[in-house]
Amino acid sequence: NIDSVISFILSLQKESGDIPWHLDGKTDPWDLVETIMGLNIGKKFDASYRAFEWLKNIQNEDGSWYSSYINGKPEDRTCETHMAAYISVGLFHTWLMNKDTAFLKIMWPTMEKGMKYAISLQAATGEIYWAKSPEGKVDPMSLLAGSSSIFMSLKCALAIAGILGKRKSSWETAFNKLGTSIREN
């Protein structure tokens, strides 16, 4: 039942807004966004906003997040592109659930930086490389699952840009190139 799932999620949420996988578990940005959407289904927007704020507060300067955290401290310092982009999916879901445009405006700079990071690892042929290592080396591998996640993230980011009356032609270009790569590569 939805109420028991929502109660469980709320029991895991820390004062900071962080929501680990399980008690004393790790948190990763992609799964946290999925958890936020669960909170939205239960109409627990205060808790989902706290989780978004946690993401905003720990975002790296380049727009990425580390792959995982334990108690708010980086555990794996790999920076994955799909994790940087996926915040837009959660933000768009939140907006669809409550139409809070003011919150989108607050989170715009965070989402924009995440999208910039993801797109910065796009190859000329359209695919987006998986990650940068803790040493800053780009892993020239592209996974279909990660690329599909980024494709949906770009679609949601463009929808948010439209809601806010902004134009992001670089996102449109990246979206089209990635779509072609997913279909043809």
Side-chain angles (χ1 to χ4, degrees), residues 7 14-15 18 31 38-39 47 57-58 80 90 100 102 123 137 140 145 150 155 159 164:
S7 292
K14 299 174 186 281
E15 189 63 33
D18 180 11
D31 284 300
L39 289 170
N57 291 335
I58 65 160
E80 300 173 35
D100 186 350
K137 292 182 182 176
I150 297 167
K155 187 174 184 176
L164 298 179

Side-chain angles (χ1 to χ4, degrees), residues 104-123:
L104 289 182
K105 289 177 185 174
I106 290 167
M107 293 302 296
W108 174 265
T110 304
M111 184 191 78
E112 188 175 36
K113 283 172 55 178
M115 296 310 302
K116 183 178 179 183
Y117 175 78
I119 292 169
S120 77
L121 272 70
Q122 187 167 40

Side-chain angles (χ1 to χ4, degrees), residues 25-176:
K26 73 175 185 172
T27 303
D28 76 69
W30 195 93
D31 284 300
L32 179 59
V33 170
E34 289 284 300
T35 303
I36 288 170
M37 291 189 282
L39 289 170
N40 290 343
I41 296 294
K43 307 232 183 285
K44 301 296 183 186
F45 299 113
D46 287 346
S48 69
Y49 286 9
R50 283 187 25 238
F52 277 122
E53 285 294 321
W54 184 78
L55 283 170
K56 179 180 169 182
N57 291 335
I58 65 160
Q59 187 177 36
N60 296 324
E61 192 59 39
D62 67 1
S64 68
W65 283 273
Y66 295 124
S67 294
S68 64
Y69 300 81
I70 294 183
N71 294 318
K73 304 286 185 231
E75 177 198 33
D76 179 347
R77 291 181 182 264
T78 303
C79 296
E80 300 173 35
T81 50
H82 74 289
M83 289 190 183
Y86 202 61
I87 192 171
S88 65
V89 175
L91 287 168
F92 188 57
H93 182 268
T94 303
W95 184 84
L96 288 172
M97 297 291 296
N98 68 12
K99 303 295 192 247
D100 186 350
T101 303
F103 188 69
L104 289 182
K105 289 177 185 174
I106 290 167
M107 293 302 296
W108 174 265
T110 304
M111 184 191 78
E112 188 175 36
K113 283 172 55 178
M115 296 310 302
K116 183 178 179 183
Y117 175 78
I119 292 169
S120 77
L121 272 70
Q122 187 167 40
T125 49
E127 68 271 19
I128 295 180
Y129 294 136
W130 177 250
K132 276 187 188 177
S133 72
E135 298 76 34
K137 292 182 182 176
V138 174
D139 182 348
M141 175 179 65
S142 179
L143 302 176
L144 181 58
S147 294
S148 298
S149 176
I150 297 167
F151 187 75
M152 176 57 83
S153 298
L154 279 162
K155 187 174 184 176
C156 291
L158 287 166
I160 290 169
I163 292 163
L164 298 179
K166 298 178 183 286
R167 180 85 196 268
K168 296 297 283 188
S169 57
S170 62
W171 294 359
E172 293 169 13
T173 301
F175 177 77
N176 290 328

